[in-house]
């Protein structure tokens, strides 16, 4: 009994010290990490929606559903949103910019785990450029030899775009 | 001093974690697709190794044998988290390409093995040198594998492309390429007598 | 090979034929298919074969010379490996592709393990899978048959995988080899001539090829279409590398089970994996992977199918 208490006590001390150290490091690094994430998000949003001046997050609870793209005068010109679909090797996440009338401005692959040299070609501009200026995504051609990965991107973007279109329509 | 140098150098040669002990294979195989990632992983693991060895050695008379494993895990996990937060804040590019493998340093068996086999039985200074040597040995191992894989698989060194072509050996940057390279290098290091059979 | 003969099962009859002679006779049995390949795809096919065989032989010789082992290039096994590799390649690949594949087959697939008789996996397939993973673009671009001008075309199997019916290709075309595909796999007639020779002379037994082809046919009939029991099993048997693989590669002495019972298990396993890859996998063709996976399972199959020693 005494032994057990002593062990618990020692382990407790180690944990308390560790927790304290981690709390300190967290306080030091948190602002920097958040700033990095914001920066990266800003760069990506700008890349897929160059004509927008800034973006407003639209949240449902804590989750960001989509971003409103606003021009210099603060006028609503379109939306940006994330789509994700199951590719050949796990989730493919895509950031999409869409004008208010439903045309895609551009897309960017945010994360993917496809086979290098085959499926990973979905991240090349050669493929992502095929979405530009399209409203109907059925016409987007898949990459030869990487049909599963391409279809995952096309279908997920298409599905999410329709969902967001409906949502934006209802909210206005 | 001489013995300290010995503690340091054994991790690079005879007890090299990658080619001699054949430990810590998960990051070795997964992250060695590019030299940049490999060195990043190596330095992160070295940081954790040195500090966990230091603390565990310092506390070796304080931690009772029966609760040593949970204590080691808490200590190692703490340094891994410190490392992870640091990389996220200051090297976001590296953090993105290493992803889950930074937190996974916790379960890198090299660190646990050195804590159990060395730091818990030796004084602080030798333990630091042991951790440093093991870390450098691990970094070297993973970097050599990554160098070969990146060169053959994507025709570049540390992200700098050498040739404008697509005729590289794609399999080298896939999982089988990692196992092939690693197997051949282990054979080579044994053939040259760097590591023991 | 010598080691394998030592642990072979009874009856221990002695045959005059040596390993060397068997290797050369198997090579001979592959000649009709090679000639058909040249006829169908043009002289490019001959080049691919010549380069693969030459590279395999030179690699074997060089490695045995460097490691100061007995030089056994003339036993024909390197020639056979090179030839089988070439049969698994499209006809218009760049000249370096068969060379790289053959070097890999011999060096990594065979000599690393200690040479003939020691390798776990069929060396020719090791080479093919290496090329497939490294340069998928070249490995999946096929020449149109009888056109000789490098017009590329999708294989019947790719069409079958996508659920399309085969258009413009009859069963007779598939049987004679009038379809896009790898050099040595297309002409089923020529392959069967060689296979019949090997079977009649008892260099191979019927167990692996027949259980393999039967399993593939049966499963593709059951699951090969949207409704059950409606698959185009004839096309599944005649297209892809199934016939070549079943008779000439799955039957490799070194990498397949010793007992007939084990060979049946081996063949059924190959068929099962082939159909799974063809119908639901990422690649249209699964023969090479199926055989390699079952190669890995061979020691285990041997262990469980070994006949009981009398009295034990």
């Amino acid at each position: 009994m005494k032994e057990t208490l002593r062990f618990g006590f020692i382990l407790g001390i180690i944990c308390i010290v560790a927790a304290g150290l981690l709390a300190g490091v967290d306080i030091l690094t948190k602002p920097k990490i958040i700033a990095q994430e914001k920066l990266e998000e800003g760069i990506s949003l700008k890349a897929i929606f160059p004509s927008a001046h800034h973006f407003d997050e639209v949240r449902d609870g804590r989750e960001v559903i989509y971003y409103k793209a606003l021009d210099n005068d603060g006028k609503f010109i379109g939306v940006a949103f994330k789509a994700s679909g199951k590719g050949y090797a796990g989730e493919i996440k895509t950031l999409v910019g869409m004008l208010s009338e439903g045309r895609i401005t551009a897309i960017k692959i945010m994360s993917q785990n496809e086979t290098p040299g085959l499926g990973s070609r979905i991240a090349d501009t050669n493929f992502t450029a095929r979405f530009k200026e399209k409203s109907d995504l059925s016409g987007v051609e898949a990459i030869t030899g990487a049909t599963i990965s391409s279809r995952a991107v096309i279908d997920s973007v298409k599905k999410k775009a329709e969902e967001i279109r409906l949502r934006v329509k209802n909210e206005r | 001093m001489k013995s300290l140098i010995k503690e340091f150098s054994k991790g690079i040669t005879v007890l090299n974690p990658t080619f001699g002990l054949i430990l810590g294979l998960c990051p070795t195989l997964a992250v060695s697709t590019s030299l940049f990632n490999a060195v990043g992983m190596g330095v992160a693991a070295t940081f954790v190794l040195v500090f966990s060895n230091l603390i565990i050695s310092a506390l070796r008379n304080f931690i009772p044998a029966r609760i040593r494993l949970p204590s080691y895990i808490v200590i190692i996990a703490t340094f891994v988290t410190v490392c992870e937060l640091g990389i996220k804040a200051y090297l976001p590019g590296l953090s993105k390409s290493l992803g889950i493998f930074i937190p996974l340093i916790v379960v890198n068996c090299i660190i646990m093995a050195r804590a159990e086999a060395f730091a818990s039985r030796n004084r602080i200074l030798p333990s630091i040198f042991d951790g440093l040597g093991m870390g450098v040995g691990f970094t070297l191992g993973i970097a050599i594998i990554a160098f070969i894989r990146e060169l053959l698989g994507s025709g570049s060194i540390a992200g700098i492309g050498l040739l404008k072509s697509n005729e590289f050996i794609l399999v080298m940057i896939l999982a089988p390429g990692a196992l092939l390279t690693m197997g051949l290098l282990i054979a080579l290091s044994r053939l040259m007598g760097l590591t023991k059979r | 090979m010598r080691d394998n003969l030592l642990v072979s099962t009874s009856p221990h009859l002695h045959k005059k034929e040596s390993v060397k002679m068997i290797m050369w006779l198997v090579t001979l049995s592959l000649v009709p298919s090679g000639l058909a390949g040249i006829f169908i795809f043009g002289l490019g096919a001959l080049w691919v074969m010549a380069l693969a065989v030459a590279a395999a032989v030179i690699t074997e010789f060089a490695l045995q010379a460097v490691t100061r082992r007995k030089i056994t290039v003339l036993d024909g096994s390197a020639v056979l490996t090179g030839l089988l590799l070439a049969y698994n390649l499209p006809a218009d690949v760049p000249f370096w592709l068969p060379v790289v594949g053959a070097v890999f087959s011999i060096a990594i697939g065979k000599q690393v393990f200690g040479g003939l008789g020691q390798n776990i996996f069929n060396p020719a397939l090791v080479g093919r899978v290496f090329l497939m993973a490294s340069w998928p673009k070249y490995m999946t671009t096929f020449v149109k048959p009888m056109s000789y001008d490098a017009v590329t075309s999708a294989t019947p199997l790719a069409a079958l995988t996508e659920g399309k019916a085969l258009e413009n290709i009859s069963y007779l075309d598939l049987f004679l080899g009038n379809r896009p595909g790898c050099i040595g796999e297309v002409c089923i007639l020529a392959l069967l001539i060689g296979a019949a020779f090997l079977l009649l002379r008892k260099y191979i037994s019927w167990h692996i090829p027949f259980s393999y082809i039967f399993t593939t046919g049966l499963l593709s009939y059951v699951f090969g279409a949207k409704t059950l029991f409606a698959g185009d099993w004839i096309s599944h048997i005649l297209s892809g590398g199934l016939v070549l693989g079943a008779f000439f590669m799955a039957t490799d002495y070194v990498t397949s089970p010793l007992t007939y019972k084990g060979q049946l298990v081996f063949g059924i396993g190959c068929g099962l994996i082939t159909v799974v890859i063809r119908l639901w996998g990422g690649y249209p063709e699964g023969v090479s992977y199926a055989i390699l996976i079952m190669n890995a399972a061979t020691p285990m199959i041997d262990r469980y199918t070994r006949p009981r020693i009398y009295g034990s």
Side-chain angles (χ1 to χ4, degrees):
Chain A
M1 188 61 205
K2 225 177 123 202
E3 275 285 85
T4 316
L5 273 179
R6 197 170 69 92
F7 289 162
F9 181 67
I10 291 172
L11 207 51
I13 290 178
I14 292 174
C15 288
I16 288 166
V17 174
L21 180 68
L22 285 181
V25 174
D26 189 49
I27 290 168
L28 279 176
T29 53
K30 196 157 201 175
K32 195 91 185 140
I33 292 173
I34 291 174
Q36 284 289 1
E37 278 168 4
K38 279 267 173 238
L39 187 76
E40 205 172 312
E41 194 183 82
I43 292 171
S44 310
L45 284 171
K46 196 81 195 140
I48 53 141
F49 216 133
S51 58
H53 180 255
H54 65 281
F55 297 90
D56 275 355
E57 289 172 0
V58 178
R59 287 169 187 270
D60 189 356
R62 295 189 63 181
E63 214 185 335
V64 178
I65 306 292
Y66 64 94
Y67 302 84
K68 277 183 183 164
L70 308 166
D71 68 1
N72 284 329
D73 312 321
K75 216 179 85 191
F76 175 80
I77 52 171
V79 292
F81 57 88
K82 281 183 190 143
S84 74
K86 206 178 152 288
Y88 187 68
E91 205 96 51
I92 305 173
K93 287 197 176 123
T94 317
L95 191 65
V96 188
M98 187 165 69
L99 292 169
S100 47
E101 84 257 24
R103 256 189 310 139
I104 303 282
T105 53
I107 69 159
K108 187 182 175 194
I109 307 294
M110 300 300 284
S111 69
Q112 53 96 5
N113 205 11
E114 303 301 281
T115 320
L118 270 180
S120 70
R121 283 184 291 165
I122 51 165
D124 294 352
T125 41
N126 185 355
F127 177 66
T128 52
R130 297 179 193 181
F131 289 80
K132 267 188 189 157
E133 306 292 316
K134 288 245 164 69
S135 319
D136 177 20
L137 292 178
S138 331
V140 178
E141 238 177 273
I143 304 174
T144 353
T147 327
I148 298 175
S149 312
S150 323
R151 283 251 68 96
V153 178
I154 298 168
D155 292 343
S156 69
V157 170
K158 197 173 154 188
K159 201 171 143 228
K160 193 82 190 204
E162 270 154 26
E163 211 179 294
I164 298 285
R165 264 178 219 155
L166 209 70
R167 220 189 152 93
V168 173
K169 218 181 191 173
N170 290 341
E171 280 173 13
R172 312 195 94 206
Chain B
M1 195 59 216
K2 221 173 184 175
S3 67
L4 288 185
I5 291 171
K6 216 185 99 203
E7 298 305 351
F8 175 76
S9 64
K10 72 174 188 299
I12 298 169
T13 56
V14 192
L15 292 184
N16 184 297
T18 312
F19 303 127
L21 300 175
I22 317 191
L23 279 180
L25 294 192
C26 164
T28 310
L29 297 175
V31 177
S32 59
T33 46
S34 79
L35 192 57
F36 178 71
N37 285 356
V39 173
M41 169 54 83
V43 171
T46 307
F47 167 84
V48 176
L49 252 170
V50 169
F51 279 94
S52 69
N53 263 13
L54 165 72
I55 300 295
I56 287 164
S57 170
L59 297 179
R60 69 184 185 281
N61 295 325
F62 172 70
I63 301 172
R66 278 178 58 196
I67 54 160
R68 67 185 193 287
L69 290 180
S71 309
Y72 296 167
I73 289 171
V74 171
I75 292 166
I76 294 167
T78 307
F79 285 109
V80 170
T81 314
V82 168
C83 187
E84 191 202 351
L85 291 174
I87 290 178
K88 251 193 188 157
Y90 298 101
L91 296 164
L94 186 66
S95 149
K96 215 174 167 189
S97 54
L98 290 181
I100 184 71
F101 291 102
I102 290 289
L104 279 182
I105 296 176
V106 177
V107 287
N108 188 325
C109 23
I110 302 169
I111 295 163
M112 203 61 179
R114 292 332 282 172
E116 176 77 5
F118 197 91
S120 61
R121 292 165 199 187
N122 286 282
R123 299 208 300 184
I124 296 180
L125 213 51
S127 297
I128 293 176
F129 275 79
D130 175 78
L132 204 60
M134 284 291 158
V136 172
F138 174 66
T139 311
L140 267 178
I142 190 171
I144 293 170
I145 296 174
F147 174 78
I148 295 171
R149 288 182 68 195
E150 192 187 348
L151 188 67
L152 296 179
S154 37
S156 60
I157 295 172
I160 303 156
L162 299 177
L163 289 163
K164 279 253 174 287
S165 161
N166 288 320
E167 307 284 289
F168 301 112
I169 310 171
L170 186 60
V171 75
M172 293 307 286
I173 47 172
L174 303 176
L179 293 163
L180 273 173
T181 316
M182 169 125 192
L184 291 174
L185 284 176
I186 291 174
L188 189 71
S189 79
R190 285 180 183 181
L191 196 69
M192 287 163 45
L194 286 179
T195 52
K196 276 189 249 168
R197 257 159 225 275
Chain C
M1 182 55 73
R2 208 181 314 125
D3 295 312
N4 258 7
L5 290 181
L6 278 179
V7 292
S8 75
T9 54
S10 56
H12 298 277
L13 293 177
H14 185 72
K15 239 184 179 181
K16 272 186 200 146
E17 282 137 344
S18 62
V19 172
K20 190 172 160 182
M21 189 174 159
I22 294 175
M23 288 292 167
W24 284 112
L25 283 171
V26 174
T27 309
L28 181 71
S29 73
L30 281 165
V31 167
S33 176
L35 291 176
I38 297 168
F39 178 70
I40 294 163
F41 297 116
L43 279 178
L46 182 63
W47 271 111
V48 173
M49 288 185 232
L51 285 167
V53 170
V57 169
I58 292 170
T59 310
E60 175 128 313
F61 176 78
L63 283 174
Q64 287 178 335
V66 167
T67 53
R68 296 206 189 86
R69 274 176 297 163
K70 202 176 152 209
I71 290 174
T72 56
V73 172
L74 291 177
D75 70 6
S77 67
V79 173
L80 186 57
T81 298
L83 197 63
L84 280 172
L85 174 70
Y87 279 18
N88 278 289
L89 301 178
D92 67 332
V93 290
F95 72 91
W96 50 267
L97 201 80
V99 175
V100 173
V103 171
F104 192 87
S105 286
I106 297 292
I108 305 293
K110 187 172 159 196
Q111 292 300 339
V112 154
F113 293 98
L116 184 62
Q118 307 293 324
N119 49 307
I120 305 170
F121 299 104
N122 185 323
L125 288 177
V126 169
R128 184 199 128 88
V129 164
F130 171 74
L131 294 178
M132 187 74 194
S134 292
W135 295 281
K137 204 176 77 194
Y138 294 127
M139 295 296 288
T140 49
T141 313
F142 295 103
V143 201
K144 223 173 170 168
M146 314 302 283
S147 64
Y148 310 127
D149 55 357
V151 181
T152 61
S153 176
T155 60
L157 255 191
L160 279 176
T161 301
E162 285 172 25
K164 292 178 195 153
L166 291 182
E167 287 166 14
N168 308 328
I169 294 182
S170 65
Y171 290 143
L172 187 66
D173 284 337
L174 287 177
F175 186 69
L176 295 177
N178 187 18
R179 64 156 173 107
C182 295
I183 295 170
E185 71 177 24
V186 289
C187 185
I188 307 299
L189 175 67
L191 286 170
L192 288 182
I193 293 171
F197 169 72
L198 292 181
L199 281 170
L200 290 176
R201 295 285 299 262
K202 296 204 163 47
Y203 293 123
I204 58 174
S205 72
W206 58 270
H207 300 78
I208 291 177
F210 282 82
S211 60
Y212 189 175
I213 292 173
F214 179 78
T215 311
T216 309
L218 181 72
L219 290 177
S220 51
Y221 168 66
V222 176
F223 299 108
K226 290 202 175 76
T227 51
L228 289 180
F229 303 106
D232 186 356
W233 59 276
I234 301 176
S235 293
H236 266 282
I237 288 176
L238 294 179
S239 49
L242 180 62
V243 174
L244 175 66
F247 283 103
F248 296 96
M249 292 189 291
T251 51
D252 175 24
Y253 294 160
V254 181
T255 54
S256 62
L258 298 168
T259 60
Y260 290 145
K261 206 163 105 194
Q263 290 176 357
L264 287 176
V265 173
F266 185 90
I268 292 168
C270 283
L272 188 70
I273 299 168
T274 301
V275 172
V276 167
I277 295 176
R278 280 186 181 184
L279 295 181
W280 301 291
Y283 287 111
E285 176 57 308
V287 168
S288 350
Y289 298 98
I291 297 175
L292 286 172
I293 292 168
M294 291 312 290
N295 282 165
T298 295
M300 197 174 73
I301 296 173
D302 270 339
R303 199 159 108 206
Y304 286 106
T305 57
R306 184 185 297 165
R308 260 174 13 131
I309 296 164
Y310 185 69
S312 72

